[in-house]
Amino acid sequence: MRMANYVQIIYRIIITYIVLLTITRLMGKREISQFSYFDYVIGITIGSISANLIVDGTKSIVNIFIILFVFCFLQIFSSYISLKNISFRKITTGAKTMLIKNGKVIEKNLIKERLNIDELSTKLREKNVFNLADVEFAFLEIDGNISVQKKPNIQPLTPSHLKLPTTYT
């Protein structure tokens, strides 16, 4: 490889870095754990396009940047529409799925989400639930986490249960 090739690669890396920084700022601040599956796929796609730009010196930088910015625009646009339109949000991000109701596992929803009982039990133990009968509701959220509401007789006591006054700090 000649020195000119190294310079070209370094130039492409620097330009790609700046463009990716710009795109991530435009797309907004969210933790990775808050990404929907669709957001995750878009992120991987943008990364793949960027890697292609750096590695393949035959591709036009301008064309790749147009592709990156169109992906960015589409992601921002779909996020905006998702804020305003519930039907569109369900298409792009999905909806939560009830997995347990009154201590009973909803088998058809486990199958729909391709989740087995062992994985469900593991997720429940992570929430300090060791007995399915203690669960009033459990939902698989759109980000892949499980939310659990224990039955009222299992939930810990709070000052409001005992009608104790509290002060705010």
Side-chain angles (χ1 to χ4, degrees):
M1 224 184 216
R2 294 186 346 220
M3 186 63 158
N5 289 344
Y6 290 124
V7 172
Q8 182 183 19
I9 290 172
I10 291 170
Y11 169 74
R12 286 174 171 261
I13 290 171
I14 291 169
I15 297 298
T16 303
Y17 180 84
I18 292 168
V19 169
L20 283 176
L21 181 62
T22 305
I23 285 173
T24 54
R25 291 290 183 206
L26 288 173
M27 288 176 38
K29 297 178 187 175
R30 281 197 293 177
E31 292 181 28
I32 291 175
S33 64
Q34 295 174 328
F35 279 6
S36 68
Y37 184 71
F38 183 68
D39 293 331
Y40 181 70
V41 169
I42 291 294
I44 289 173
T45 303
I46 288 172
S48 296
I49 292 168
S50 300
N52 191 8
L53 170 65
I54 293 168
V55 173
D56 189 352
T58 64
K59 303 286 186 194
S60 164
I61 291 177
V62 174
N63 289 345
I64 299 283
F65 289 156
I66 289 170
I67 293 168
L68 286 173
F69 279 106
V70 168
F71 260 101
C72 177
F73 170 77
L74 290 173
Q75 180 63 12
I76 292 168
F77 184 69
S78 68
S79 294
Y80 180 76
I81 292 174
S82 292
L83 290 172
K84 304 291 183 186
N85 187 311
I86 293 171
S87 299
F88 186 77
R89 185 179 322 137
K90 286 182 180 178
I91 291 168
T92 59
T93 61
K96 66 182 180 290
T97 304
M98 185 182 291
L99 300 176
I100 299 175
K101 184 176 182 180
N102 295 322
K104 294 187 179 21
V105 175
I106 304 171
E107 293 284 336
K108 69 175 184 167
N109 287 353
L110 280 182
I111 292 168
K112 176 182 149 192
E113 298 296 342
R114 288 182 232 99
L115 194 67
N116 65 48
I117 194 73
D118 294 329
E119 292 168 325
L120 176 61
S121 295
T122 299
K123 294 282 188 183
L124 290 173
R125 285 191 299 275
E126 290 171 1
K127 301 288 183 176
N128 290 323
V129 176
F130 295 89
N131 188 350
L132 286 176
D134 293 345
V135 178
E136 187 162 357
F137 297 104
F139 293 93
L140 179 63
E141 302 293 346
I142 59 174
D143 64 357
N145 288 316
I146 292 184
S147 298
V148 178
Q149 181 178 359
K150 294 179 183 177
K151 290 185 176 177
N153 60 330
I154 304 298
Q155 292 182 9
L157 283 176
T158 64
S160 64
H161 289 119
L162 302 173
K163 299 188 184 345
L164 295 174
T166 59
T167 59
Y168 295 100
T169 57

